[in-house]
Amino acid sequence: MAIKLITYGHKKKPKSLGLGVFDGIHKGHQAILSQCDALLTFNPHPVTILHNTITLDRLTTVEEMTHYIPQLFVLEFNKMIANLSAQDFLNKIILEKINPSHIVIGYDYHFGKNKEGTPELFKQWCNSHNVPITIVEPISNTDQIIKSKAIRTHLKEGDVNQALNDLGHPYLMIGTVIKGDSRGKELGFPTANLKFPTEKLIPKKGVYKGNITIENKPYKTMIYIGNRPTFNTKTTTVEAFILDFKGNLYDQTICLYIEQYLRPEKTFPNKEALISQINQDTQNAYGP
Amino acid sequence: MAFEGILTVNKPAAITSYDVIRTIKKIIGKDKIGHAGTLDPFATGILIIAIGRKFTKQLASYQAMPKTYRFTIQLGTETSTLDPDGEIISESPISTPYTIQSIENTLNTFKGETKQTPPAFSAKKIQGQRAYKLARKGKEVKLEPTTITIHEINLLNYDPKTQQIECRINCEKGTYVRSLSRDIALQLNTVGYTKTLVREAVGNHTLDTALTIDQLENHLTKN
């Protein structure tokens, strides 16, 4: 098994390299990112390789991560990498493959086989290799340290707006526009049906306010996440009603930013009631 | 006795594969010197050289070995030679950056056996004539596609600012990286040419054991 490392961005040696999974790019991660011009991340999420049974929903896919940093190193995480000793990880990957001028890690960064690598060990290695290292302390929101795991849970089934607050930025979802059943168009609200990678975390069902960026211009958007009770109750669909936009987006890759959770989904007795509610939602979100 | 044997040379850029042979001839004056597969002037890396009749007979077996190339594709621009030494013949500006996934998916379609049309500027023969001779005269060059085999193809880097993709492949003989870059770009709905090319290995012969041009004289006259 060879070491597979893909670089996104320029190929020059990074001045300041941050290491971690950074799933979510939450406020804690941002404390690291703000000091880096490059990141080293792992794909798939190491947890899925170390514990074969866990499937993990990604708050941030590798593609989405490229939006937050100019140079991204993606190391394919597999059993071979998981079994590298802490020293081998540092020498064979950090030094040999990347050779950064400065390292930035979080207070809880562990690496190498059985997590034997600690921030303290990293510090010792950096000292002997004359590479300055910064270890970043945790960021808390009131009394709890901000963690990706809690954000995942909240986005899926809890307090979505608290999760968005902990993220510190809108929730980015990069997906493609696929053909829907034109139901939205029939109601007078043409909607884009969006498809996301299977590992991407879809927030809980409901109505959201957000924006979609098309050719670098953001458009106010209402987002509906839910089942289609009339059709397949198992698949969750994400529909975006883009205000003030006319055009065909089929097959295009778009950046959807979820800004705020507005209300849970509701079933309506008839078409008119649904149209009235959509108008109300839009007014509540963006004014008349 | 003058040096005889197989050499792996790390060809630098800007010289032809035959220039390397000329350099060796100047040093040892031997007649029977050959190489096992041309590297274009813009390319660098392993050139297998055979010196002496006993060894030039082995060249075919080296030519047949699988090779590893690391190369960069410049997207959005097409050149006449499919490399940086030719003229720009078309530009296809890229509006939205590609995603890593879409590039990887495209590269994977070239894995295994596929059909490839060699470049017009190549040593391939058309009715006895070298294709590059016809291309230089401005004549239309129609080459038949051949079957190529790529064992491994990996994305190393994608720079959305310069729109360059860096890849590494391991392939069987007969693969033209210049054509591969062209075809990868086409699959990405644009044009492209090979900006850099390094032959990193021929069989098990890798760059770390290859001689530089400067080391040749010493190596050949030591015996």
Side-chain angles (χ1 to χ4, degrees):
Chain A
M1 257 184 176
I3 294 173
K4 256 180 90 171
L5 184 71
I6 299 176
T7 313
Y8 181 92
H10 65 84
K11 288 189 283 188
K12 290 179 276 201
K13 175 174 129 141
K15 292 200 198 93
S16 187
L17 179 75
L19 282 84
V21 177
F22 299 118
D23 199 38
I25 319 263
H26 59 57
K27 286 176 177 166
H29 298 143
Q30 286 164 47
I32 296 174
L33 257 83
S34 57
Q35 304 186 51
C36 303
D37 60 1
L39 292 181
L40 167 63
T41 192
F42 310 92
N43 196 44
H45 196 300
V47 151
T48 61
I49 299 293
L50 298 167
H51 312 276
N52 285 321
T53 52
I54 297 180
T55 50
L56 199 92
D57 290 340
R58 278 273 202 182
L59 290 168
T60 315
T61 61
V62 163
E63 217 59 70
E64 289 160 354
M65 205 161 291
T66 63
H67 285 241
Y68 296 93
I69 195 84
Q71 188 182 35
L72 182 69
F73 294 90
V74 186
L75 178 66
E76 184 187 81
F77 198 85
N78 49 44
K79 290 230 151 39
M80 188 265 292
I81 299 288
N83 284 318
L84 281 178
S85 68
Q87 286 296 327
D88 278 347
F89 174 77
L90 294 173
N91 293 319
K92 292 193 174 153
I93 295 174
I94 307 301
L95 187 62
E96 229 176 87
K97 300 266 175 195
I98 304 173
N99 196 19
S101 307
H102 182 175
I103 300 255
V104 186
I105 56 171
Y107 69 100
D108 59 350
Y109 184 70
H110 283 77
F111 55 100
K113 190 172 183 169
N114 297 325
K115 291 192 170 186
E116 65 185 20
T118 59
E120 191 47 54
L121 186 78
F122 213 146
K123 198 161 146 191
Q124 283 169 23
W125 183 89
C126 281
N127 289 340
S128 60
H129 286 85
N130 277 323
V131 179
I133 179 168
T134 304
I135 299 175
V136 178
E137 288 308 308
I139 302 285
S140 302
N141 205 346
T142 59
D143 59 344
Q144 291 216 296
I145 294 178
I146 294 179
K147 289 229 169 231
S148 303
K149 193 168 171 182
I151 295 174
R152 263 183 227 113
T153 310
H154 276 302
L155 276 180
K156 280 202 282 203
E157 60 203 29
D159 186 346
V160 175
N161 288 328
Q162 179 58 57
L164 290 171
N165 193 286
D166 288 346
L167 280 179
H169 54 78
Y171 181 57
L172 169 61
M173 300 176 70
I174 298 182
T176 33
V177 181
I178 55 169
K179 272 203 184 293
D181 59 3
S182 301
R183 190 173 56 151
K185 200 160 153 194
E186 280 166 24
L187 297 170
F189 301 98
T191 52
N193 282 275
L194 305 173
K195 183 177 167 210
F196 298 97
T198 44
E199 73 270 17
K200 179 67 184 175
L201 186 146
I202 312 279
K204 73 180 188 188
K205 291 182 259 189
V207 176
Y208 295 81
K209 173 187 172 187
N211 80 78
I212 286 187
T213 307
I214 299 167
E215 283 174 15
N216 284 324
K217 192 176 163 203
Y219 289 86
K220 293 180 191 161
T221 305
M222 297 296 291
I223 302 124
Y224 294 80
I225 300 179
N227 293 342
R228 301 272 198 92
T230 327
F231 307 103
N232 189 340
T233 49
K234 289 218 169 91
T235 42
T236 309
T237 58
V238 180
E239 291 177 77
F241 169 45
I242 313 171
L243 278 69
D244 306 319
F245 179 80
K246 279 181 166 63
N248 196 333
L249 292 171
Y250 288 138
D251 277 345
Q252 278 198 48
T253 301
I254 49 90
C255 293
L256 168 66
Y257 293 88
I258 291 190
E259 292 163 357
Q260 193 186 357
Y261 173 77
L262 297 173
R263 64 163 178 81
E265 68 165 357
K266 272 197 309 242
T267 340
F268 295 91
N270 54 50
K271 214 164 76 167
E272 288 72 26
L274 173 58
I275 292 173
S276 167
Q277 182 63 56
I278 296 174
N279 278 320
Q280 191 61 60
D281 288 335
T282 313
Q283 264 201 46
N284 290 342
Y286 294 110
Chain B
M1 197 175 93
F3 183 95
E4 286 207 342
I6 300 281
L7 286 180
T8 48
V9 176
N10 188 349
K11 186 189 89 67
I15 65 169
T16 67
S17 300
Y18 201 73
D19 286 334
V20 177
I21 293 185
R22 276 196 207 102
T23 306
I24 296 173
K25 276 200 175 147
K26 273 204 195 126
I27 301 169
I28 61 171
K30 204 145 180 89
D31 258 349
K32 269 267 165 244
I33 307 179
H35 67 66
T38 317
L39 264 181
D40 298 324
F42 84 102
T44 67
I46 300 216
L47 198 58
I48 305 273
I49 309 279
I51 302 170
R53 190 177 297 270
K54 191 167 95 176
F55 297 96
T56 53
K57 280 187 188 166
Q58 296 174 24
L59 281 173
S61 69
Y62 283 94
Q63 218 150 8
M65 289 179 183
K67 299 168 183 67
T68 303
Y69 292 97
R70 180 166 48 89
F71 59 103
T72 313
I73 308 174
Q74 174 63 63
L75 297 173
T77 309
E78 190 183 357
T79 64
S80 54
T81 53
L82 301 181
D83 66 31
D85 294 341
E87 288 154 20
I88 295 177
I89 52 181
S90 76
E91 313 236 30
S92 175
I94 297 157
S95 47
T96 39
Y98 296 98
T99 61
I100 298 179
Q101 194 62 67
S102 64
I103 297 173
E104 283 198 293
N105 291 343
T106 302
L107 293 183
N108 283 332
T109 63
F110 290 90
K111 204 167 168 182
E113 264 188 25
T114 57
K115 284 254 179 232
Q116 183 187 73
T117 305
F121 281 89
S122 67
K124 283 281 191 192
K125 284 186 176 167
I126 301 171
Q127 291 174 336
Q129 280 234 297
R130 295 282 185 191
Y132 62 73
K133 286 214 164 123
L134 295 165
R136 278 180 202 161
K137 286 186 196 157
K139 301 217 168 178
E140 199 199 343
V141 175
K142 267 207 175 109
L143 284 157
E144 285 302 306
T146 57
T147 304
I148 60 161
T149 306
I150 292 178
H151 299 297
E152 282 274 348
I153 177 162
N154 289 307
L155 174 65
L156 298 177
N157 170 263
Y158 169 50
D159 190 341
K161 282 217 172 82
T162 58
Q163 290 294 9
Q164 286 176 17
I165 297 176
E166 191 183 15
C167 310
R168 178 178 277 126
I169 60 166
N170 180 263
C171 59
E172 287 297 321
K173 76 168 197 168
T175 309
Y176 279 93
V177 171
R178 287 183 289 141
S179 292
L180 181 62
S181 299
R182 170 199 63 201
D183 296 340
I184 290 170
L186 285 171
Q187 288 279 60
L188 292 170
N189 294 317
T190 183
V191 290
Y193 69 91
T194 308
K195 196 172 170 81
T196 65
L197 174 59
V198 184
R199 191 192 265 154
E200 293 183 323
V202 171
N204 290 326
H205 302 268
T206 53
L207 275 173
D208 45 9
T209 53
L211 294 166
T212 61
I213 298 284
D214 300 327
Q215 294 169 328
L216 273 177
E217 171 135 24
N218 223 10
H219 189 91
L220 293 168
T221 52
K222 229 172 24 178
N223 294 313

